[in-house]
Amino acid sequence: MNKQNIIAMALIGALFFVWPVPHTVSVRDFLLLANLLVFGYFAWARGGLRGSLPILSAPLLMLAGLTAWMYIVAFFISPETGWTLDEIGSQWIRALLALLIGALVATAVRDNTRFTRGVLTLLFAVLVVHILYVDLQAVWELLAPGSFDRVPGLTEGPDKSNYLTNVLFGFLLVELFFRAVYMRRILPLSHAIFAAVLALAAVSVTAEGTRNGMITLMLMLLLLGWFYLHERRARLNKRALSAVIAAMMVIVLGGIVLVTTARQSSNLNELIDTIPIGWDTKHYKTWQENDPNVWPKLPNGKTVDPSLYLRIAWLREGLELVRDHPLGIGFGREAFGHGLMAKYGQGSGHSHSGLLDMAIGLGIPGALLWLGFFASLASVVRRQYRAKGNYAALLLLLLLIDYGGRMVLDSVIRDHMLQQFMFLVGMTAVMMLTEAKAIDSGKPIRTDG
């Protein structure tokens, strides 16, 4: 690998590392520009993105339509045009830039197996550094006096750190799948080192204690389990296959219920009793007053789980804002808070659901365009996945499952989470097309020679 490639990898590794670290906005912007210039030049030297654009035309049209709709809402519908335009510039345009950089990276490494391998391994290594810090922090918490608290790693909080852990699990699960099904190594790791990293990731996800992250991780496991059964279906009779699928569904759905109710030591009945209380936002006003001394009581006399109660109340109020403003009030990270302020004269923040925030800000058309981007991209992934396997396609599918599930449960369509996701989408989407060509020509990307 020549000096230019090493410099390029250092730039992309630095950007990927600092993205989730707080108070690094200026550094991120500098690295975004530097990577755009460097990988833009490399991609131009290799013929640009022209070969990938036609196949990805449907998701790209969805993004173009969504961007146009953002500006239409900002200029003609939103009562706060200035705020909306600022949010589009600081949030959405940067995310599109990250998407472009990811696509340029994949184009730059095209037909260079060693460079491709190096970029994938580098991103994987950066994620390992982040989760290793989480694990060390967790050990320190256990040894220090006092109660154990969820650890944030190098990020602003355990939920932000968990986004990285789940992305790392995406890499690990696809690698495990390829080693088990196709007997191919994508990442240059021995089985022992791979198992060690898998254990570190398991410790990290436990230390972060993020309920929603566990749910999306289980969804990734369910999807990959289905793919594994599909690849092994010829070796199983129909009765055995049905039994295995049923067992998988029970285990995963049971696990989702378990992690949903476990964090506050509540049981399923208390969860069910909380739903109508949280939904009745006109009678129970704690969601608005945010006074911890007046949390509603359950029928058994216990106080509601604050996190669950607030999420249900915010969901109800968010849906009412969408009903009242079906074309949106303007794109922004705190569209929910702006909607509450206009409605009640008080309110701030987000709804803790990125998809709901999107629907509040951009209305039903904006939410449908965003979901259309996911659906059209998943359709391309499905078509690109081959009988012999496509690493980048399967990784992209897990990323879509993880981020798609997370955006329903958390406010992730914002800041570095959105940028990092879009970068990975751009990179894996273009990489899966170039990898497909390599497979068709009998030269699949591999690291085991």
Side-chain angles (χ1 to χ4, degrees):
M1 189 174 295
N2 60 39
K3 186 182 296 185
Q4 286 182 330
N5 291 352
I6 293 174
I7 293 173
M9 288 185 63
L11 284 173
I12 202 64
L15 175 61
F16 206 70
F17 178 81
V18 304
W19 242 325
V21 179
H23 313 301
T24 59
V25 175
S26 297
V27 178
R28 293 178 206 164
D29 288 347
F30 168 76
L31 289 172
L32 277 171
L33 180 59
N35 278 284
L36 177 65
L37 294 175
V38 170
F39 283 100
Y41 170 76
F42 281 1
W44 172 78
R46 290 185 173 274
L49 294 166
R50 290 188 300 273
S52 305
L53 294 181
I55 301 176
L56 296 171
S57 59
L60 289 175
L61 284 173
M62 290 292 175
L63 285 182
L66 180 59
T67 304
W69 179 248
M70 284 183 182
Y71 283 103
I72 290 173
V73 173
F75 283 112
F76 301 107
I77 300 173
S78 174
E80 300 178 87
T81 299
W83 163 72
T84 303
L85 290 176
D86 286 343
E87 288 289 293
I88 293 172
S90 65
Q91 295 292 310
W92 186 247
I93 299 304
R94 279 181 171 83
L96 292 181
L97 181 60
L99 177 78
L100 175 60
I101 292 172
L104 293 174
V105 169
T107 304
V109 303
R110 182 175 58 200
D111 303 324
N112 188 331
T113 303
R114 189 179 179 187
F115 201 0
T116 302
R117 201 163 58 219
V119 168
L120 290 171
T121 305
L122 174 65
L123 299 182
F124 176 83
V126 170
L127 292 168
V128 171
V129 171
H130 272 282
I131 68 103
L132 182 59
Y133 189 86
V134 171
D135 292 350
L136 292 174
Q137 209 172 25
V139 172
W140 177 262
E141 286 273 351
L142 287 172
L143 296 177
S147 59
F148 180 83
D149 196 10
R150 298 188 301 150
V151 295
L154 293 170
T155 70
E156 290 182 328
D159 56 335
K160 307 297 189 300
S161 176
N162 185 252
Y163 304 144
L164 301 178
T165 303
N166 274 20
V167 173
L168 177 63
F169 264 112
F171 277 88
L172 289 168
L173 292 175
V174 175
E175 180 73 17
L176 181 63
F177 181 87
F178 268 68
R179 293 189 182 199
V181 175
Y182 302 122
M183 305 303 171
R184 293 172 55 200
R185 291 183 185 178
I186 306 301
L187 299 173
L189 303 174
S190 67
H191 292 320
I193 294 177
F194 177 80
V197 175
L198 193 60
L200 290 173
V203 172
S204 176
V205 78
T206 304
E208 290 152 352
T210 306
R211 183 165 51 193
N212 296 336
M214 287 294 295
I215 292 174
T216 56
L217 177 57
M218 289 179 184
L219 292 176
M220 287 195 289
L221 286 168
L222 180 62
L223 176 68
L224 213 60
W226 171 264
F227 269 76
Y228 182 81
L229 289 176
H230 183 268
E231 296 294 338
R232 290 289 184 262
R233 65 190 183 281
R235 302 182 183 182
L236 298 172
N237 59 46
K238 290 184 178 180
R239 181 174 296 180
L241 185 62
S242 299
V244 172
I245 293 174
M248 283 173 50
M249 292 293 292
V250 169
I251 292 172
V252 172
L253 293 177
I256 290 175
V257 171
L258 179 63
V259 299
T260 301
T261 59
R263 199 170 80 187
Q264 298 296 332
S265 299
S266 58
N267 56 42
L268 186 59
N269 289 333
E270 291 176 2
L271 183 150
I272 294 172
D273 289 338
T274 303
I275 293 175
I277 295 174
W279 197 254
D280 188 0
T281 57
K282 302 301 183 283
H283 181 263
Y284 298 97
K285 298 268 187 189
T286 305
W287 67 270
Q288 193 174 26
E289 299 162 354
N290 202 22
D291 184 352
N293 297 316
V294 292
W295 291 117
K297 300 291 185 180
L298 295 169
N300 62 8
K302 291 184 179 180
T303 301
V304 296
D305 174 351
S307 175
L308 181 60
Y309 160 75
L310 288 174
R311 284 178 178 272
I312 295 170
W314 289 332
L315 173 62
R316 169 67 184 270
E317 288 295 319
L319 291 174
E320 287 191 0
L321 288 175
V322 176
R323 180 199 63 193
D324 296 339
H325 306 278
L327 297 181
I329 64 172
F331 174 80
R333 287 165 291 180
E334 297 189 350
F336 177 66
H338 283 243
L340 292 181
M341 180 63 71
K343 184 176 182 179
Y344 297 109
Q346 61 178 345
S348 63
H350 51 78
S351 68
H352 285 263
S353 168
L355 184 59
L356 184 55
D357 289 333
M358 178 75 79
I360 294 168
L362 297 176
I364 296 173
L368 290 177
L369 285 168
W370 179 245
L371 292 174
F373 166 67
F374 272 74
S376 58
L377 191 55
S379 178
V380 176
V381 170
R382 179 183 60 83
R383 293 197 303 269
Q384 291 298 318
Y385 190 79
R386 295 289 189 265
K388 291 296 182 181
N390 185 314
Y391 174 87
L394 195 53
L395 177 58
L396 175 54
L397 190 57
L398 289 189
L399 292 172
L400 290 174
I401 290 292
D402 178 52
Y403 193 85
R406 201 62 174 264
M407 74 184 183
V408 176
L409 303 169
D410 284 319
S411 182
V412 297
I413 310 179
R414 55 188 292 144
D415 302 321
H416 70 273
M417 292 92 72
L418 177 60
Q419 293 177 34
Q420 208 161 20
F421 168 71
M422 294 292 271
F423 166 80
L424 289 170
V425 166
M427 187 188 73
T428 52
V430 174
M431 197 174 284
M432 76 176 174
L433 303 179
T434 56
E435 183 185 351
K437 294 175 183 176
I439 290 174
D440 290 340
S441 62
K443 296 180 295 183
I445 299 173
R446 61 172 68 198
T447 65
D448 57 356

